[in-house]
Amino acid sequence: MSCEKFYNWLNEGNSVDEVYLPDELRDHLHLCIKCQQLLESHNRLIQKIDQRLKLSSASRQKIFNKLEAQIDNNANLGSTLPERLARLFHLSNRMSLLATGATVFLLALTSIFLIYRADETGAKNVLSFSGSGTIQTEDRIIALTDTALKLTVSQKIHLVSEEARVFWNDSPRLVISGNAEFIIGHSKTEMLDGRASIHFEPSTIGYMVEMRQINLYVTGTRLMLSTCKDFDEIIVERGKISWQLKDSEDSGVASEGMRLKIVGGRIETSLMHEKPTDRLPANKPFSVPSEPEVPPNLKMDRSG
Amino acid sequence: MSCTTGNHEYDSEFVFRLRQRETAAFKTLFDETADLVYRRAFAYLGNETMAEDATQEIFYKVWQALPSLESGKVRPWLMAIARNYCCDELRKKKRRSEILRDVECYASNIQLSMDGSEDEIEMLCCLPEEIRLPLLLKVVDGMSYKEISQIVNKAEGTLRNLVCKGMKILKKGFDENEL
């Protein structure tokens, strides 16, 4: 190894720790005084730089004092944007929780109030009728007028009517014309016997009509329904219905103008304008009698 | 507490205290690593005042990031924060001043301008960052060229040349001072 090589080796910043010295270099160093002096000068330079690049005690303390002040100052302000956002998020969280709690409390109060009011006025689940014709319940016959007549929910009603408007809690639900027996409820009417045309108000979304063999799901529809022990018949005069047979998983949709007839658990579909089938029960005439047949033990109630 | 200095990592208990932003633990970290951070900042920025300011800002960023500290990786984490800050500052600094890309020309200008009165730090300040940074990392911090290459994104051969040039400049001034 020559002095020039040693000089270049030093200038590359290689370690001069004897442990790491290559053998060739160590041997040259032992013999060359110039390179020994060069090495000493090199080491002094590095040491001076190393000492100068250390913080003095005063500088170190000054930096730390300024750092402490910066931390304290920003802790009071919540300085960094992420910290502010986090604080705002936590604050929003708390406020959201409070708002949710307050809302739930108010809703609970309102519900209690409404239920109380409903109980007080007896307005809960009120079925009422108005129109023309008569309805027959288990204990009386009622002539319908334009004044709404309140009836008990879920009682059987024999409707003999030109037109009966059915209300649920003062909200119009159905308009029925025909001669049939029903049990009318809030979301369902069970048609027991007879034939009637029913117009379902738009508010009856999801309303169900249960017949002997089929369930219908109606929305703002007008239907002609006939039911007896032998069959159910549905004519969709307006709108669309969904249906499902009671004793099977058969289901479908019937649109305006379609006729469905269910006999013995099987469904037949046809169009309304096709030749009507003569299948009405003989003992249930379609025409509305002018005077109802009044059993002798029942009292005629015309008061509404 | 059994934390150590030098190249040893800190134990998990100390790291836990740091994550909790315990003042005493943070002060210990500062005392043990402030010189290292200052030296690194000077290597990048080439100015003692800027390096002191950078040291303060770097440790402030360390304070803010303490909750995310992982065990056993304190020094690399700390130096990564320092490097990122210094690189950002360097970019700002370079936008404000003309960059001398020809290292040979710059080195010769330094030799002509030196009248023998500059000390070693002043000479280092005169060096461009491309030379000063790898030189200090290699000579003072004792890093390998491979490690330096990962920091400054330059080939090892290029780094050797730059360090060599820087050392020659410093030694010329140093020798003249000693004489």
Side-chain angles (χ1 to χ4, degrees), chain A residues 43 104 172:
Chain A
N43 287 340
V104 168

Side-chain angles (χ1 to χ4, degrees), chain A residues 107-218:
Chain A
L107 280 173
L109 274 182
T110 306
S111 304
I112 291 168
F113 174 73
L114 287 174
I115 290 168
Y116 174 73
R117 280 290 308 264
D119 286 342
E120 208 175 45
T121 61
K124 181 184 175 183
N125 299 336
V126 173
L127 184 68
S128 55
F129 286 79
S130 66
S132 57
T134 59
I135 55 173
Q136 180 179 328
T137 64
E138 290 178 5
D139 54 355
R140 55 182 176 159
I141 296 173
I142 304 163
L144 294 178
T145 65
D146 288 337
T147 303
L149 170 69
K150 290 185 174 55
L151 289 177
T152 307
V153 177
S154 301
Q155 66 172 301
K156 187 159 58 176
I157 298 167
H158 188 141
L159 178 66
V160 182
S161 172
E162 293 175 5
E163 184 182 275
R165 293 184 290 276
V166 181
F167 298 82
W168 183 263
N169 291 340
D170 298 326
S171 171
R173 297 296 253 182
L174 315 170
V175 179
I176 306 175
S177 299
N179 186 343
E181 279 186 344
F182 298 91
I183 297 177
I184 299 178
H186 166 253
S187 57
K188 184 178 86 170
T189 286
E190 193 176 341
M191 186 170 176
L192 303 172
D193 198 38
R195 182 168 180 166
S197 172
I198 307 180
H199 168 76
F200 296 87
E201 296 288 346
S203 61
T204 50
I205 185 167
Y207 201 86
M208 189 173 107
V209 177
E210 184 179 344
M211 303 177 77
R212 289 176 188 254
Q213 299 183 65
I214 191 169
N215 293 331
L216 311 174
Y217 303 90
V218 300

Side-chain angles (χ1 to χ4, degrees), chain A residues 11-13 41-42 44 46 48 50 52-53 55 59-60 62 64 66-67 70-71 74 79-80, chain B residues 27 31 35 42 48 56 60 63-64 119-121 138-140 145 164 167 171 174-175 178:
Chain A
N11 284 340
E12 286 181 3
S41 174
H42 174 89
R44 280 199 302 276
I46 302 305
K48 281 192 83 171
D50 189 53
R52 283 300 306 275
L53 289 179
L55 286 166
S59 297
R60 184 190 296 266
K62 184 180 79 175
F64 193 75
K66 287 166 74 175
L67 178 61
Q70 187 178 10
I71 290 170
N74 290 324
S79 69
T80 64
Chain B
K27 181 67 164 59
D31 288 339
D35 282 337
F42 179 85
E48 288 175 286
Q56 178 195 336
Y60 180 67
W63 169 262
Q64 290 177 315
D119 68 2
E120 290 71 27
I121 295 300
K138 179 62 182 169
V139 170
V140 180
Y145 278 111
C164 211
M167 285 301 297
K171 279 182 178 175
F174 182 64
D175 291 338
E178 288 206 313

Side-chain angles (χ1 to χ4, degrees), chain A residues 70-107:
Chain A
Q70 187 178 10
I71 290 170
D72 289 340
N73 189 39
N74 290 324
N76 292 333
L77 295 175
S79 69
T80 64
L81 185 60
E83 284 179 359
R84 286 201 201 104
L85 286 174
R87 200 168 297 180
L88 186 64
F89 174 75
H90 288 135
L91 182 63
S92 299
N93 247 6
R94 286 194 208 114
M95 288 182 71
S96 299
L97 281 171
L98 276 173
T100 304
T103 304
V104 168
F105 179 69
L106 282 172
L107 280 173

